Amino acid sequence: MAIYFNEPSHTFSEYLLVPGYTDERCIPQNVSLKTPLVKYRPGEEECSLSLNIPLVSAIMQSVSNDTMAIALAKEGGISFIYGNQSIEEEAAMVARVKGYKAGFVVSDSNLKPDDTLADVLKLFEEKGHSTMAVTEDGSANGKLLGIVTSRDYRVSRMTGNEPVSSFMTPLERLVTAPEDTTLKMANDIIWEHKLNSLPIVDKMGNLKYFVFRKDYSQHKENPDELLDKNKSYVVGAGINTRDYEKRVPALVEAGADVLCIDSSEGYTVWQKKTIEFIREKYGDSVKVGAGNVVDSEGFRFLAEAGADFIKIGIGGGSICITRETKGIGRGQASAVIDVAAARDEYFKETGIYIPICSDGGIVHDYHMTLALAMGADFLMLGRYFARFDESPTPKTMINGQYVKEYWGEGSNRARNWQRYDLGGKAGLNFEEGVDSYVTYAGPLHDNVERSLYKVKSTMCNCGAITIPELQQKAKLTLVSATSIVEGGYHDVMLRSTTTVK
């Protein structure tokens, strides 16, 4: 006879946190969001790899590339570069993150001298950056000929056909610096010459980086940036259960700090074989997460297989239709609660703490706090990060609103059948994800700062200033459908407001 769970499957929106005693310590400035990323023995050793904020970006084409990885590492989190690409391309993305020099920005808004004002405006709309490099071949590292900023043109007085060469600021009028310039030297030059940006060029005159005035203050504002012992940004990478024997060595060689098996369902022999290969070849030196699972059995299986962290969630993502197409999965809140209990039991038995990651089901910022309170050590987010400037997809206007493209790895667009591997030679014969848009939300830094301030504030309401303390002290209550309605505005007529400047 089939096994039946006693309780219905619950989502985050069905729970609320009940306030606890708030003492003098409990102010957002005192809250630490540091959390372990990989397994360790508390009391005996420090975790070899921790996060400064409990957020990681999903292993998705429309979310996690090298640009996202750098931006999120600046905030204290980590990206897992998507694996639905060639081994060489994924390794190159990892290498670019590890080779990134903090404060030195590779130009992603580039023009050729024969491009037009129309091309400038289109590029600005796509990238949102007002400083654009003009290079001989229009590449990020081509021979620098000049730059275009918003001060170089006026749309109302020019035609869209005017060539960039006619209104750019040419090289001879620019202040540049050589390739061996340090960040401190670059900032000194910027302040001395009252510049907004400083191009860094090599001996051949090729553009290498930009250093921006605005990044100086931002760098000071990011004390939580996640760095390895060599002061490079920490980055993860996704792998699958098919070509791991070739992909893993390439990613390790490129410098990936941690790997994660990207799969819709982790309670499988193929995940066990993948972990075994890594352990046989690298021992414990290469860290690898596994998943996804939704119950204690799945957790125990992957824990005993040797996973360094375990992901929770099947069918809860905003673009995932696995539950709809296959009838498999579990409400994310119920899954996290169950797996967290299994994690704690495993720790009592073995002394090994295996962090768990809640993957999917986060719709509102307060869901982040709920997931952490229920036992998650960190959260993997797709839709949340897809909305930002730093995600790989272009910004587009639809019906008068800026949006960004976002699609599931199980959609026809991605066709990432390796993520849904059930063995054999068959590919992905039906969709488990959709192709969609998400509302554009601006830069990652501003949004993450705002979201995490809410998390910290709520933790203070619960009397906690660390994630472990939150998990120990949290009081949660299920809410009725009527109570959910009561939680929003009701029985009032909203006023339309205008801002007076």
Side-chain angles (χ1 to χ4, degrees):
M1 182 177 174
I3 294 173
Y4 289 87
F5 286 82
N6 292 326
E7 284 193 356
S9 182
H10 294 294
T11 67
F12 293 131
S13 290
E14 295 177 80
Y15 284 90
L16 287 175
L17 284 157
V18 176
Y21 173 65
T22 302
D23 59 31
E24 293 87 350
R25 306 169 307 142
C26 295
I27 58 175
Q29 292 90 325
N30 289 342
V31 174
S32 169
L33 294 177
K34 188 168 184 177
T35 189
L37 178 63
V38 297
K39 67 183 178 185
Y40 70 112
R41 291 180 178 272
E44 297 180 20
E45 60 188 48
E46 285 190 14
C47 183
S48 62
L49 189 54
S50 295
L51 301 168
N52 292 326
I53 62 171
L55 305 182
V56 306
S57 66
I59 313 170
M60 302 175 71
Q61 286 176 306
S62 55
V63 178
S64 296
N65 65 346
D66 47 325
T67 306
M68 175 62 70
I70 291 166
L72 186 50
K74 286 181 181 179
E75 304 302 318
I78 188 172
S79 287
F80 285 88
I81 303 294
Y82 70 92
N84 189 20
Q85 58 180 322
S86 73
I87 295 172
E88 294 75 20
E89 288 170 332
E90 186 180 8
M93 282 192 181
V94 169
R96 285 199 290 272
V97 178
K98 300 307 291 185
Y100 180 82
K101 297 164 68 178
F104 291 81
V105 180
V106 176
S107 177
D108 71 346
S109 297
N110 306 293
L111 300 159
K112 300 190 294 294
D114 57 352
D115 285 336
T116 65
L117 176 59
D119 295 316
V120 172
L121 299 177
K122 181 180 178 183
L123 190 58
F124 177 73
E125 184 176 321
E126 288 178 358
K127 300 291 187 179
H129 300 152
S130 58
T131 300
M132 305 176 190
V134 183
T135 60
E136 203 167 64
D137 59 0
S139 70
N141 298 121
K143 187 175 181 63
L144 183 65
L145 302 179
I147 65 171
V148 172
T149 72
S150 56
R151 294 177 298 178
D152 291 316
Y153 59 88
R154 218 180 236 187
V155 176
S156 60
R157 296 189 179 184
M158 299 169 65
T159 68
N161 295 325
E162 295 194 42
V164 165
S165 58
S166 69
F167 59 86
M168 70 180 186
T169 301
L171 179 62
E172 55 267 24
R173 287 171 48 198
L174 294 176
V175 177
T176 64
E179 193 174 2
D180 59 355
T181 302
T182 66
L183 186 58
K184 183 181 185 306
M185 292 165 59
N187 283 317
D188 287 343
I189 294 170
I190 286 173
W191 287 102
E192 180 183 347
H193 293 274
K194 300 179 180 179
L195 305 173
N196 287 323
S197 63
L198 176 68
I200 308 295
V201 297
D202 65 17
K203 293 178 181 179
M204 304 299 293
N206 297 312
L207 177 65
K208 300 298 291 183
Y209 310 102
F210 274 112
V211 178
F212 292 98
R213 175 189 286 263
K214 65 180 177 62
D215 285 346
Y216 176 80
S217 57
Q218 191 179 79
H219 185 65
K220 294 295 183 184
E221 293 169 2
N222 289 334
D224 290 331
E225 59 185 357
L226 197 61
L227 303 172
D228 65 17
K229 61 183 179 181
N230 298 317
K231 304 299 182 183
S232 296
Y233 286 130
V234 175
V235 62
I239 60 174
N240 61 65
T241 57
R242 285 279 182 168
D243 63 8
Y244 56 87
E245 292 184 356
K246 293 181 179 178
R247 191 173 293 266
V248 169
L251 295 174
V252 171
E253 178 68 23
D257 297 279
V258 58
L259 306 175
C260 184
I261 303 172
D262 181 26
S263 176
S264 64
E265 208 272 289
Y267 194 179
T268 73
V269 65
W270 298 285
Q271 292 224 358
K272 182 180 180 182
K273 287 181 177 179
T274 304
I275 297 170
E276 286 174 348
F277 166 80
I278 292 171
R279 293 290 172 253
E280 288 170 6
K281 187 172 178 65
Y282 299 101
D284 291 328
S285 65
V286 171
K287 307 301 182 183
V288 57
N292 287 13
V293 298
V294 292
D295 66 2
S296 57
E297 283 188 22
F299 170 86
R300 175 70 67 158
F301 173 80
L302 291 177
E304 292 175 351
D308 287 293
F309 67 85
I310 293 171
K311 286 204 295 134
I312 308 163
I314 294 176
S318 61
I319 42 68
C320 184
I321 55 173
T322 294
R323 297 181 194 172
E324 182 180 331
T325 57
K326 296 172 68 175
I328 191 169
R330 195 177 189 187
Q332 191 66 5
S334 295
V336 171
I337 292 168
D338 192 356
V339 173
R343 184 266 321 275
D344 293 344
E345 183 180 347
Y346 186 83
F347 172 58
K348 288 179 182 178
E349 291 177 13
T350 66
I352 300 171
Y353 186 89
I354 302 179
I356 56 175
C357 168
S358 177
D359 177 15
I362 302 293
V363 180
H364 306 291
D365 287 345
Y366 81 89
H367 289 170
M368 296 180 183
T369 320
L370 283 169
L372 295 171
M374 290 172 180
D377 295 283
F378 58 97
L379 319 172
M380 179 171 278
L381 306 165
R383 181 196 61 86
Y384 179 83
F385 287 114
R387 304 172 301 144
F388 302 150
D389 286 323
E390 294 82 359
S391 72
T393 63
K395 184 174 68 173
T396 309
M397 183 171 282
I398 302 289
N399 298 326
Q401 184 176 38
Y402 280 115
V403 297
K404 297 201 78 176
E405 296 176 352
Y406 179 48
W407 60 90
E409 291 298 288
S411 67
N412 266 326
R413 181 170 184 174
R415 299 299 292 173
N416 187 7
W417 62 268
Q418 291 168 318
R419 190 175 195 275
Y420 301 84
D421 187 18
L422 291 175
K425 298 180 180 179
L428 185 61
N429 295 319
F430 55 88
E431 288 186 280
E432 292 193 41
V434 299
D435 195 346
S436 63
Y437 295 108
V438 289
T439 303
Y440 168 70
L444 179 146
H445 172 77
D446 296 346
N447 284 278
V448 166
E449 186 177 54
R450 188 181 307 116
S451 296
L452 292 183
Y453 191 85
K454 294 179 187 177
V455 172
K456 291 178 179 180
S457 179
T458 307
M459 288 173 63
C460 290
N461 293 141
C462 296
I465 60 171
T466 67
I467 292 173
E469 189 178 14
L470 172 67
Q471 292 167 349
Q472 181 183 6
K473 292 183 174 181
K475 297 181 289 184
L476 296 110
T477 180
L478 273 167
V479 294
S480 67
T482 305
S483 180
I484 292 173
V485 173
E486 180 187 59
Y489 68 84
H490 58 90
D491 301 310
V492 296
M493 210 164 39
L494 291 184
R495 297 173 57 187
S496 60
T497 57
T498 57
T499 303
V500 180
K501 295 184 178 180

